[in-house]
Amino acid sequence: MLSGWQLTVSKFFIIPQRVVLAIFGFLAILNAYTMRISLSIAITEMVNKTAGNIDESGVCPLDGDANPEDYTGGEFDWSEELQGIILSSFYWGYVITHIPGGMLAEKFGGKWTLSLGILSTAIFTLITPWVVGFGGSTGLIVLRVLMGLGEGTTFPALSALLATWIPLKERSKLGSLVFGGGQVGTILGNLLSGVLLHNFDGWSSVFYFFGGMGIIWFILFTVLCYSSPEVHPFISDEEKEYLKKEMGTLSRDKTLPATPWRFILTSVPMWALICAQIGHDWGFFIMVTDLPKYMSDVLRFSIKDNGLYSSLPYLLMWIVSLSTGVLGDWLITSGKISITFSRKLFTSIASAAPACFIIAASYAGCDRALVVAMFTLAMGFMGTFYPGMKVNPLDLSPNYAGSLMAITNGIGAITGILAPYVVGIMTPNHALDEWRTVFWITFAIFHVTNLVYIAWASGEVQPWNNPHLMNKSVEGGDVITYSEKNVPEAIKDSDRKE
């Protein structure tokens, strides 16, 4: 029962604490993405575009009333290849801390694993202008690696928190809300970066603004959110009872053994999930990291228009992710489709449609309105990844969701290293035909990885979710996995199983 002060504080909240956590999880990813991708817009104003011998025949002409001085960029003579290295360097650190972040979140709770990671990234973002002024491109690369190290704990820690707080029947909806922070962060990162660069001299304001927002989030999150319902000081008794009924426990089972790496790494559904993550991340990072460069270098948008039009695709993606998250929960809880079919259906839509629209954009030439429309539709359909494969780690293993997210997101993030570098190598003249080849490669990766997911993915809780119950062998029948023939019963029982 709540004490006097706890009861008083709980009355100030008109929404459940699991929703408060989901909102702050959404804001965590939002801040993470604004700090991550702000450089993608800023670098177009940092680099001197008039340096070197660039073939202008492969790019679109400037508008008749455009001021050529608005397209010259800044003071740094960085080649396309060096820019690719700078943009990818964040992910060198990002992939390293995924698995440690997941393990720490599962052992000690997700609160501090998440919040300290975001705080460190915010501090590194704030000092970016000083580091670039002192160390140039080398200093920026080192700083971006450090930012990646801090932010690498974000998704594993959030998955551990969601597995502790969110019942299965709310998983698609609240999971899509939380992970949708990536789209909103990209929208705000692109849009506000364009506004700041247009209205303030120099490019430093971008990093001061987004770094400051990250620190504000850290303060509010540490006061209001906790690792589990059991340790939350002012969660209502009614919500505690509801979560205990739906999930069977209010805290992580401390009797669980260490992460069963052998079973996880030999799991076919797990490798299918990894393939889907690689396909999603390749397409997503191509768009997040390099779309602003495409808008600036090929379509020749001004910096203000670049920020606006680069953000539109993610607005539609966010709307689609939320709406299909609600749709996915309804389809599953009503028994119309199984969990596995739901994950495969939404993942397939998120692979096939973006692949086709990205190719269509590359053949739209210099028709700026049509190109923006094609990219917007591509990213909009990509929003169905979130009720699809993005919440799949919570299906496979609620107990080890942090580690599963660490593996999938960490391996997927390697594409964040490769994609910007590949683009830099393949587009030395930032010409349209060079970019078209990049988009055809993306088309192939989308389809191949999705076929693997369709063939071998699963929405069932895996036997290794409870390794302490796996006696002599899984095949011997010591552990029962959940059949999807009766979905409502699986929803009630899946998170209670010990």
Side-chain angles (χ1 to χ4, degrees), residues 79-153:
S79 68
E80 290 293 320
E81 182 177 352
L82 179 56
Q83 291 178 58
I85 293 172
I86 291 171
L87 290 171
S88 69
S89 59
F90 172 92
Y91 298 97
W92 304 351
Y94 187 67
V95 300
I96 293 174
T97 50
H98 267 69
I99 290 178
M103 296 173 67
L104 288 171
E106 288 170 353
K107 186 173 180 62
F108 301 108
K111 175 177 179 175
W112 293 108
T113 311
L114 172 64
S115 61
L116 292 176
I118 296 291
L119 176 64
S120 64
T121 307
I123 293 172
F124 292 137
T125 302
L126 278 172
I127 65 173
T128 297
W130 178 81
V131 171
V132 174
F134 178 76
S137 61
T138 301
L140 181 56
I141 289 170
V142 172
L143 185 66
R144 295 288 291 182
V145 172
L146 294 174
M147 288 177 63
L149 289 171
E151 203 169 298
T153 64

Side-chain angles (χ1 to χ4, degrees), residues 187 307-317 372 376:
I187 294 167
L308 172 62
Y309 294 127
S310 294
S311 67
L312 286 179
Y314 305 97
L315 176 60
L316 183 59
M317 186 179 183
V372 170
T376 300

Side-chain angles (χ1 to χ4, degrees), residues 476-488:
D478 297 311
V479 180
I480 300 173
T481 59
Y482 298 115
S483 169
E484 296 186 76
K485 294 179 180 178
N486 197 334
V487 175

Side-chain angles (χ1 to χ4, degrees), residues 143-166:
L143 185 66
R144 295 288 291 182
V145 172
L146 294 174
M147 288 177 63
L149 289 171
E151 203 169 298
T153 64
T154 302
F155 280 94
L158 272 173
S159 290
L161 284 170
L162 293 178
T164 305
W165 276 92
I166 309 300

